[in-house]
DNA sequence: AACCCGTGGAT
DNA sequence: TATCCAAGGGT
């Protein structure tokens, strides 16, 4: 459903810029930043992540890695530790790979849209954000904010998470883009969506664009934008055996095509269903390390973590080994090194509940 | 194209 | 409590 009213489009672009100049008070550490490295860093951190959640991570990364060279030369483990808790860990992996790629090629951040887009972890949105903010190139960003604003204002019923909807949003956003000040326009669009045209309870009464907004006029604020995807939640049960021997503990880095890649964990017993404590204690791994009825075996309370489409529930079982053993892919590491390794959120819930390991 | 990948705040 | 969803990208 293409939008073909030129007057309304001009009204939109003019009002968005006017709102930005007169009313936009939103402040963030990376605003007005012109260093493409720092802009890139902020954009990767902010992918599907709230500004309030990402800001502290951004500050820590910039502080620890002031240039792309610093990041490129850092050790994987150190960078993942700094990313720990932020989620979507493929972002961290791609961030490091791209930093090393840039550093290897002279350390100069790419300047062409196509070259920025070619970086791992950089898609349509992020490439447009970088080249518009850093170099003022005319590429329109389309994020959740922009899609919502456009769907509501222009009355677009095409699902914004489908191929047709994305295509339509990109062409419309590019058409509306102020080609003289693309960086400011893009910033205006996102800030307007985040602070005025919010997902729930948008501030229509004080909106500068209210006189020509389709959704407001037709009472479709809560119906737009349209999405087609529904997330399904699957349950998983993870029981962790924390096997210590002297001053060390057995851990492992997750590498399977699954959640939490590149994060560490203890000895995992996963089940497709909830296990009762007797069932759990019957497990071969438990019986192997805690033969007989072992009164020293400590079972924690139940922990649970909700991911975007999975819910992980489980417990932690502490057992002390009397001799060093070979356990599959798990390695024995000193307890004091635990704090330097990135663990899953589920495990960190448990670790934070302990005084010492 | 459909599905997968985290975490936390708001309602 | 359940649901939504946030400066998306990869496969």
């Amino acid at each position: 459903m293409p939008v073909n009213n030129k007057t309304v489009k001009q009204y939109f672009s003019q009002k968005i810029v006017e709102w930005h100049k007169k009313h936009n008070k939103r402040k963030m550490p990376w605003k007005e930043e012109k260093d493409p490295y720092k802009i890139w860093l902020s954009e990767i951190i902010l992918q599907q992540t709230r500004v309030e959640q990402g800001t502290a991570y951004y500050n820590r990364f910039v502080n620890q890695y002031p240039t792309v060279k610093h990041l490129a030369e850092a050790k994987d483990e150190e960078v993942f530790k700094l990313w720990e808790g932020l989620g979507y860990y493929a972002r961290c992996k791609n961030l490091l790979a791209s930093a090393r790629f840039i550093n290897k090629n002279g350390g100069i951040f790419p300047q062409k849209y196509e070259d920025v887009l070619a970086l791992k972890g950089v898609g349509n949105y992020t490439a447009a954000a970088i080249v518009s903010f850093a170099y003022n190139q005319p590429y329109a960003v389309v994020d959740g904010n922009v899609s919502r604003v456009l769907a509501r204002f222009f009355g677009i019923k095409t699902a914004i998470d489908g191929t047709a909807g994305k295509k339509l949003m990109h062409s419309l956003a590019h058409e509306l883009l102020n080609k003289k000040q693309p960086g400011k326009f893009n910033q205006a669009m996102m800030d307007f969506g985040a602070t005025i045209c919010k997902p729930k309870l948008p501030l229509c009464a004080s909106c500068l664009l209210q006189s020509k907004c389709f959704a407001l006029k037709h009472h479709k604020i809560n119906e737009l934008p349209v999405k087609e995807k529904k997330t399904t939640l699957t349950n998983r049960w993870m029981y962790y055996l924390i096997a210590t021997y002297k001053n060390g503990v057995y851990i492992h880095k997750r590498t399977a095509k699954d959640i939490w890649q590149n994060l560490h964990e203890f000895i995992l017993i996963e089940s497709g269903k909830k296990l009762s404590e007797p069932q759990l204690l019957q497990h071969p791994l438990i019986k192997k390390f805690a033969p007989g009825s072992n009164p020293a075996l400590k079972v924690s309370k139940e922990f649970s973590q909700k991911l975007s489409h999975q819910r992980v529930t489980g417990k932690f079982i502490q057992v002390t080994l009397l001799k060093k053993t070979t356990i599959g892919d798990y390695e024995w590491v000193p307890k004091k090194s635990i704090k330097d390794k990135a663990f899953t959120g589920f495990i960190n819930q448990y670790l934070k509940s302990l005084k010492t390991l």
Side-chain angles (χ1 to χ4, degrees):
Chain A
M1 188 179 79
V3 180
N4 267 322
N5 191 322
K6 200 172 177 181
T7 310
V8 176
K9 287 176 182 170
Q10 286 175 347
Y11 167 93
F12 178 90
S13 295
Q14 186 253 322
K15 287 290 185 184
I16 282 288
V17 172
E18 182 185 338
W19 172 82
H20 184 60
K21 284 181 179 166
K22 292 185 183 171
H23 306 289
N24 189 4
K25 306 293 181 200
R26 208 173 179 216
K27 295 215 182 326
M28 290 164 282
W30 48 86
K31 263 198 183 176
E32 307 303 321
E33 179 61 63
K34 290 300 168 193
D35 179 353
Y37 162 69
K38 291 180 184 172
I39 294 172
W40 167 60
L41 187 55
S42 73
E43 294 300 343
I44 301 298
I45 286 174
L46 290 170
Q47 285 169 4
Q48 290 290 284
T49 303
R50 290 175 199 283
V51 168
E52 309 84 65
Q53 191 189 356
T55 299
Y57 283 85
Y58 171 80
N59 289 332
R60 287 194 286 266
F61 264 84
V62 167
N63 186 50
Q64 191 146 345
Y65 312 117
T67 70
V68 71
K69 182 176 165 67
H70 288 88
L71 179 57
E73 292 173 348
K75 286 183 178 175
D76 289 32
E77 187 163 290
E78 182 186 273
V79 181
F80 273 99
K81 183 64 186 177
L82 206 56
W83 195 275
E84 182 185 46
L86 191 55
Y88 285 150
Y89 298 91
R91 290 185 292 173
C92 184
K93 183 183 177 184
N94 290 329
L95 182 79
L96 250 177
S98 293
R100 287 167 183 166
F101 172 80
I102 293 166
N103 194 45
K104 195 178 67 183
N105 290 296
I108 306 297
F109 204 92
Q111 303 195 9
K112 279 182 62 184
Y113 173 83
E114 289 75 15
D115 295 336
V116 177
L117 184 62
L119 295 172
K120 285 183 179 177
V122 174
N124 244 320
Y125 162 79
T126 305
I130 292 171
V131 301
S132 67
F133 293 148
Y135 314 128
N136 211 37
Q137 291 177 26
Y139 290 85
V141 297
V142 179
D143 71 336
N145 292 308
V146 174
S147 298
R148 181 175 59 255
V149 170
L150 297 182
R152 283 178 177 164
F153 184 86
F154 292 100
I156 296 166
K157 295 170 199 158
T158 313
I160 62 168
D161 55 350
T163 306
K166 287 178 188 171
K167 205 172 166 183
L168 176 55
M169 287 298 167
H170 275 96
S171 76
L172 181 55
H174 183 73
E175 199 181 346
L176 296 164
L177 179 69
N178 182 321
K179 309 296 190 298
K180 295 255 169 44
Q181 296 191 310
K184 281 187 179 168
F185 181 86
N186 282 336
Q187 191 64 63
M189 290 284 279
M190 291 193 284
D191 286 343
F192 180 78
T195 62
I196 307 294
C197 198
K198 301 185 290 183
K200 289 172 183 172
L201 303 177
L203 310 181
C204 301
S206 61
C207 178
L208 219 57
L209 289 75
Q210 59 177 261
S211 76
K212 292 191 189 302
C213 177
F214 177 96
L216 182 60
K217 182 178 179 183
H218 298 280
H219 307 288
K220 300 285 186 190
I221 291 295
N222 294 321
E223 280 69 52
L224 294 171
V226 173
K227 293 190 181 180
E228 59 190 17
K229 285 178 193 161
K230 295 179 185 72
T231 56
T232 56
L233 194 66
T234 58
N235 282 300
R236 297 171 72 167
W237 285 267
M238 294 186 182
Y239 300 92
Y240 279 109
L241 185 58
I242 303 177
T244 56
Y245 168 71
K246 291 191 173 171
N247 62 341
V249 60
Y250 289 85
I251 66 167
H252 155 86
K253 180 154 66 165
R254 292 175 63 89
T255 54
K257 283 186 181 173
D258 193 5
I259 57 174
W260 295 323
Q261 263 188 68
N262 291 298
L263 299 190
H264 294 82
E265 65 184 356
F266 298 109
I267 302 171
L268 173 64
I269 296 170
E270 178 162 5
S271 167
K273 59 182 176 59
K274 188 185 185 82
L275 297 182
S276 66
E277 199 159 318
Q279 284 175 321
L280 185 55
L281 298 182
Q282 284 300 310
H283 193 278
L285 267 176
I286 304 276
K287 298 191 83 165
K288 177 177 177 186
F289 295 116
S293 59
N294 189 333
L297 207 103
K298 281 207 301 188
V299 182
S300 77
K301 66 168 187 177
E302 189 171 270
F303 288 82
S304 183
Q305 184 182 357
K306 192 171 65 64
L307 288 73
S308 55
H309 59 294
Q310 297 186 31
R311 181 169 47 219
V312 177
T313 308
K315 295 181 177 181
F316 296 83
I317 305 114
Q318 284 195 330
V319 59
T320 305
L321 304 187
L322 299 177
K323 58 179 183 180
K324 205 161 178 176
T325 321
T326 303
I327 310 172
D329 293 335
Y330 296 91
E331 59 165 342
W332 182 93
V333 300
K335 287 181 185 176
K336 65 180 181 190
S337 72
I338 289 297
K339 64 172 175 24
D340 298 321
K341 299 183 186 301
F343 280 82
T344 71
F346 182 68
I347 287 174
N348 273 326
Q349 277 187 43
Y350 170 71
L351 291 179
K352 280 170 192 162
S353 75
L354 295 179
K355 288 190 177 69
T356 60
L357 184 61

